Amino acid sequence: MAPIKISYMVSFSSQDPRYPAENLLSEDGIQPWLSCPKDHSRQLRVELQLERASPIGCVDVGNYGCAFLQIEVGCSSWSCDQSYLTLVPTVTLMTPADSKLDQNRCGVRMFKEGK
């Protein structure tokens, strides 16, 4: 199936002015989205809207220093009290040793249906 375009960013939790959340929407070149240096929560959250409702069979995620990732999905037609569904449960993108040694910060992980 062809890639689905992300229409826009609904919300995000934090951003470094040099590496804003809008970089996630960039189609020309790879630029990371990093948290604000003053944000010590150590968590980033973004809500993206796809251009149309679509079945999701595969998600490719580029990583730049993220240790853990979780992907949840929902539908804009759901009621406001409907919780998101977990598409990818929390996974480790960097080992604790890699994080401490500042190694293997960049990579791509592919998540496919059934895995």
Side-chain angles (χ1 to χ4, degrees):
M1 180 174 228
I4 307 289
K5 184 173 173 68
I6 298 170
S7 291
Y8 66 96
M9 200 169 328
V10 177
S11 65
F12 57 90
S13 58
S14 174
Q15 68 180 357
D16 183 320
R18 294 173 297 160
Y19 302 102
E22 287 80 21
N23 285 347
L24 295 172
L25 304 178
S26 174
E27 293 182 24
D28 57 326
I30 299 170
Q31 291 289 323
W33 163 42
L34 301 177
S35 65
C36 177
K38 296 177 183 177
D39 178 4
H40 298 289
S41 70
R42 305 181 66 90
Q43 289 188 354
L44 287 172
R45 184 175 187 88
V46 65
E47 187 175 343
L48 304 170
Q49 183 165 332
L50 302 179
E51 65 183 350
R52 66 183 185 279
S54 306
I56 300 172
C58 178
V59 176
D60 297 346
V61 176
N63 181 34
Y64 189 82
C66 177
F68 302 101
L69 171 75
Q70 180 174 327
I71 299 174
E72 298 175 332
V73 296
C75 187
S76 59
S77 64
W78 290 356
S79 66
C80 293
D81 60 343
Q82 173 82 33
S83 298
Y84 289 123
L85 301 175
T86 301
L87 181 66
V88 176
T90 303
V91 294
T92 303
L93 300 178
M94 291 176 63
T95 66
D98 285 343
S99 184
K100 288 178 186 174
L101 297 171
D102 200 24
Q103 297 181 129
N104 301 319
R105 293 178 51 86
C106 301
V108 175
R109 286 283 301 270
M110 295 169 222
F111 302 95
K112 295 184 180 182
E113 192 173 9
K115 298 211 177 211

